[in-house]
Amino acid sequence: MKTYLFLLASLLGHLTTAQNVVYFPGFELINMEPTQGLQYSTSKLVKSYIEDNHSYTILLDDRIGNEGYLGRQSLQESVAQAAKMNARFFMRGEIHFLQGVFIISVGVYETASMEQVWHDMAKGAAEQDLDPLLSRIGRAFFSSKTAKTDIEIDEVTEYDQKGIELAQIKVNHFVGVMLGGKAIPNESTLSGFGLAYTYDASTVLFNFDFELFPSSTISINHSNPGQKMNSGGVSLGVTYPLSRKRSTFYLNGGMEYGYTTIKQAQDEWGDRASASGIGAYFGGGYLINRNSTVNLRIFTAVSVPFYHVDNTNVTGIKFGIVTSFAKKR
């Protein structure tokens, strides 16, 4: 009985493993020097990227990298080799070089039926583009993503830069404008605008912002109706993107130096109360088109001053959108 259970478990484990096994004879290099080094490195890289991102095992042909092996197999040859390796799928890949453009094409087929079950393509304008392209294909493997659109900020290629869809920044400095507001609990919401400077350091972004929230009719603590408030200040903070994709959620926070004034609505000259000092803010938002020459930063943050105005700590919630433009060096 124990022997039977052991054999059954082994068989089930074998079948389960085979479901995620893919045989790959290696990239066929077309219209370029069929160097074994390039074929070997690209085939090994795509194997690594796929296995790092998905629960698939890629079985490479033992002849990859050997002199005279070109990776060319008919469908029938790939089926026979995949069946021999007990792989449910086999993958066929080509790297073309045409008019200065590298074109990578990858297709996955089911061994039993020889039907194509997944396909993707990517293009690059230089040999150094091959690594980021293979990384994209590895993430997109057997998913609804595509290598053309699933781009992380450090994977923009020379070919992408020539296209209309994506403009890779040559600088990491941005200047922008902010439109938004500041909501004070139990009081009115102040409209606001400002200027923003951003330095993108790849892992994090550093922000230096100037914000102004002009006068708005309020009633602090509901005890002094008919008053106006205005506030503003400068802030220095850090933004941490939650992924390296060109559009991503983020967290941020930092310190700010600001001021707040309160005056009677009918008195255009004198302030009834005024204070300034340091404070802090923390929040998050969504960053759009980070690796473009124009990007958008949607934000919301809790602003906490460390000073009081009229015996009140005027904590508020800032929100808005920043449109930033790449600043050329």
Side-chain angles (χ1 to χ4, degrees), residues 224-246:
N224 296 293
Q227 296 186 134
K228 284 188 176 181
M229 169 189 285
N230 73 64
S231 68
V234 294
S235 62
L236 180 63
V238 176
T239 294
Y240 179 73
L242 298 183
S243 80
R244 297 184 63 80
K245 299 184 182 300
R246 58 180 174 179

Side-chain angles (χ1 to χ4, degrees), residues 4 53 133 240 265 293:
Y4 173 76
N53 288 278
L133 294 179
Y240 179 73
T293 52

Side-chain angles (χ1 to χ4, degrees), residues 93-242:
E94 300 171 343
I95 301 179
H96 302 254
F97 185 71
L98 182 63
Q99 296 181 341
V101 176
F102 288 94
I103 305 170
I104 304 176
S105 176
V106 177
V108 177
Y109 301 78
E110 194 162 24
T111 303
S113 63
M114 292 179 27
E115 292 184 358
Q116 187 178 84
V117 292
W118 181 80
H119 178 263
D120 201 3
M121 294 184 69
K123 295 182 180 180
E127 192 165 316
Q128 59 263 32
D129 290 345
L130 292 177
D131 178 46
L133 294 179
L134 293 172
S135 176
R136 294 189 208 169
I137 288 175
R139 284 200 310 276
F141 184 79
F142 248 140
S143 72
S144 59
K145 301 177 182 178
T146 66
K148 182 178 180 180
T149 58
D150 185 34
I151 305 174
E152 295 189 351
I153 62 169
D154 49 2
E155 293 178 346
V156 179
T157 66
E158 292 290 334
Y159 183 83
D160 293 323
Q161 295 176 36
K162 296 177 180 179
I164 297 175
E165 294 184 1
L166 184 65
Q168 162 69 1
I169 59 171
K170 289 293 186 181
V171 293
N172 48 10
H173 300 266
F174 297 86
V175 292
V177 293
M178 182 276 287
L179 291 176
K182 186 174 185 180
I184 302 172
N186 302 318
E187 302 293 349
S188 299
T189 298
L190 286 68
S191 59
F193 61 90
L195 300 175
Y197 169 79
T198 302
Y199 176 78
D200 191 334
S202 184
T203 305
V204 297
L205 292 82
F206 296 96
N207 308 110
F208 182 74
D209 301 328
F210 165 75
E211 300 165 333
L212 182 63
F213 302 95
S215 296
S216 177
T217 301
I218 63 168
S219 57
I220 291 293
N221 295 331
H222 303 282
S223 60
N224 296 293
Q227 296 186 134
K228 284 188 176 181
M229 169 189 285
N230 73 64
S231 68
V234 294
S235 62
L236 180 63
V238 176
T239 294
Y240 179 73
L242 298 183

Side-chain angles (χ1 to χ4, degrees), residues 25-43:
F27 281 111
E28 179 182 354
L29 307 182
I30 300 176
N31 201 28
M32 67 180 77
E33 288 296 326
T35 60
Q36 279 70 40
L38 182 60
Q39 181 192 57
Y40 180 80
S41 60
T42 52
S43 301

Side-chain angles (χ1 to χ4, degrees), residues 32-86:
M32 67 180 77
E33 288 296 326
T35 60
Q36 279 70 40
L38 182 60
Q39 181 192 57
Y40 180 80
S41 60
T42 52
S43 301
K44 291 282 286 185
L45 273 174
V46 79
K47 166 184 167 69
S48 297
Y49 286 133
I50 291 172
E51 292 180 344
D52 284 348
N53 288 278
H54 306 281
S55 57
Y56 283 89
T57 299
I58 309 300
L59 301 179
L60 297 178
D61 195 293
D62 293 336
R63 294 170 292 176
I64 293 176
N66 293 342
E67 186 176 354
Y69 180 71
L70 302 177
R72 295 173 182 167
Q73 288 187 352
S74 66
L75 281 174
Q76 290 73 17
E77 290 173 325
S78 295
V79 167
Q81 192 66 20
K84 182 179 178 181
M85 293 183 167
N86 195 35

